[in-house]
Structures are given as C-alpha cells and as structure tokens.
C-alpha cells in the first residue's frame, strides 16, 4: 500500500506543480496603466484588426514573441509603454489604431524580469498575432546593446514557466513573425498593414530555442 501511495504521489504532484513559480525565477511586478481608456482601446484594436468582438480584452496564449526595445533602459521603456494612447512619435504605425504599444514582460540587460501586464490581457507588440501571443521585450538593440547571456537565461526560464501554465506552441522572434502571414494564425484584417522587423537576431533565437528543446515546440511555418 505504501508503494502504491508513493507511486500515486509521483504522478499527482507534477500536476499541482505545473505553472508554479520555480525557485530560480523572480518576476518583479511593474504594471503599466490599464484603465478604462486602455481597455476600450484594446477592445477596439481587437475588433478592427482581428474582427474579434469581446467584452474583455483577454487572450489565450499559444505563442511567445521575443523582441528587443531599441530603447536603452528599462525606465525609458516603461515610460514609453505606460500611456494608453499611441504617442505622436509613432505615426508610422498609427494606421493600426490609437492603442499604445506594450508587452507583458520586459527583461533588463542583467536578466531582471519585469511584468507590465497580465499574461492573458492583450498587448500590442506583434501585428497579426497579438490575440494569442505573450510579448517579451528585452533591453537591447542588436548593435551597441547586443542581447546578453543574462537575457538569454532569463528568457529561457520565463518561457519555460509560461509553457507550464499555457499551451505554448511557438517561440519566435519579432523578426520571424512574417512566417505566419499565410497561416490560419494570422488575423490581421488589412493585408497592407505590415512592418519589417529585425529583432532579435536569428542567432539569438536559435540559441534560445535550443535551451527549450525539451518542450517539443512546433517548428515555425
């Protein structure tokens, strides 16, 4: 009987542990403004860009999109994401709506992880895929501020944690999102609304995915 109980515990305990915060993962809560205005703008974005009519701006995360900010510090990145409305400096993407850009997570150069939004609330970070994608921004620009080993490790640990909570199928860089344009995943209603991206570099993404090989992620289209 004792052996039977131990066997049952061996099966049951991992189920309780699924999605639990591992000891080596620290996420600092730093929420951006999500007031009635941002909620309304998010719902408007979902309706206009994806044809999705919802009462709440919630998503079902099935992919993670990794970015770099180009903005050199976390403080300045937070200030850029915090206002609900898109600032005048982002006229190039205003055709997509008045909702400001943001992401659920930002990782600083030393690997510190900040959470700006709940994982299941839509953030505007990747055209065509926001309705199902968790965004992770990294303080880097690929040039004078290349992605760091600490960021690689933090991205890997964070994504592994997210994959334990949600049915994550894909991990992609922003530079790879175009590969979904001819798939059923792509929900953008305007075929002309698209921007070329180079973040992060493919070498970094390949290194990141290699650390997650045991998750059996789906290869990119």
């Amino acid at each position: 009987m004792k052996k039977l109980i131990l066997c049952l515990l061996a099966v049951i305990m991992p189920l309780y542990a699924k999605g639990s915060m591992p000891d080596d993962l620290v996420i600092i809560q730093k929420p951006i403004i999500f007031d009635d205005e941002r909620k309304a703008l998010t719902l408007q974005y979902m309706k206009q860009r994806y044809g999705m009519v919802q009462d709440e701006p919630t998503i079902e995360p099935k992919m993670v999109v990794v970015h770099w900010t180009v903005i050199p510090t976390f403080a300045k990145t937070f200030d850029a994401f915090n206002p609900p409305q898109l600032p005048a400096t982002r006229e190039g993407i205003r055709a997509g709506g008045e909702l400001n850009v943001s992401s659920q997570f930002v990782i600083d150069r030393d690997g510190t992880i900040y959470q700006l939004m709940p994982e299941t609330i839509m953030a505007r970070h990747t055209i065509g895929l926001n309705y199902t994608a968790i965004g992770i921004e990294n303080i880097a620009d690929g040039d004078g501020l290349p992605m760091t080993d600490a960021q690689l490790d933090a991205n890997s640990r964070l994504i592994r944690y997210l994959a334990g909570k949600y049915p994550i199928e894909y991990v992609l860089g922003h530079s790879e999102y175009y590969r979904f344009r001819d798939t059923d995943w792509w929900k953008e209603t305007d075929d002309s609304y698209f921007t070329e991206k180079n973040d992060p570099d493919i070498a970094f993404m390949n290194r990141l995915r290699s650390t997650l090989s045991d998750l059996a992620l789906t290869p990119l289209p």
Side-chain angles (χ1 to χ4, degrees), residues 105-162:
F105 295 94
V106 176
I107 298 179
D108 212 339
R109 298 192 58 71
D110 63 357
T112 301
I113 302 171
Y114 297 92
Q115 184 165 8
L116 276 57
M117 296 176 59
E119 296 143 12
T120 55
I121 295 294
M122 199 206 83
R124 180 181 181 180
H125 59 91
T126 304
I127 294 171
L129 301 173
N130 292 312
Y131 74 95
T132 194
I134 293 174
I136 303 176
E137 290 276 357
N138 291 267
I139 305 300
D141 62 12
D143 188 14
L145 295 174
M147 299 285 280
T148 67
D149 288 341
Q151 286 174 320
L152 175 66
D153 178 65
N155 275 275
S156 179
R157 287 184 289 110
L158 176 57
I159 293 171
R160 189 173 296 280
Y161 164 65
L162 294 172

Side-chain angles (χ1 to χ4, degrees), residues 77-94:
T77 297
F78 182 88
D79 289 344
F81 290 172
N82 197 34
Q85 285 200 25
L86 194 70
T89 55
R90 301 304 303 271
E91 283 300 322
I93 61 171
R94 192 170 299 279

Side-chain angles (χ1 to χ4, degrees), residues 159-179:
I159 293 171
R160 189 173 296 280
Y161 164 65
L162 294 172
K165 294 180 69 176
Y166 309 105
I168 301 299
E169 296 186 35
Y170 296 98
V171 173
L172 60 143
H174 200 187
S175 61
E176 300 171 308
Y177 86 116
Y178 72 93
R179 297 174 66 165

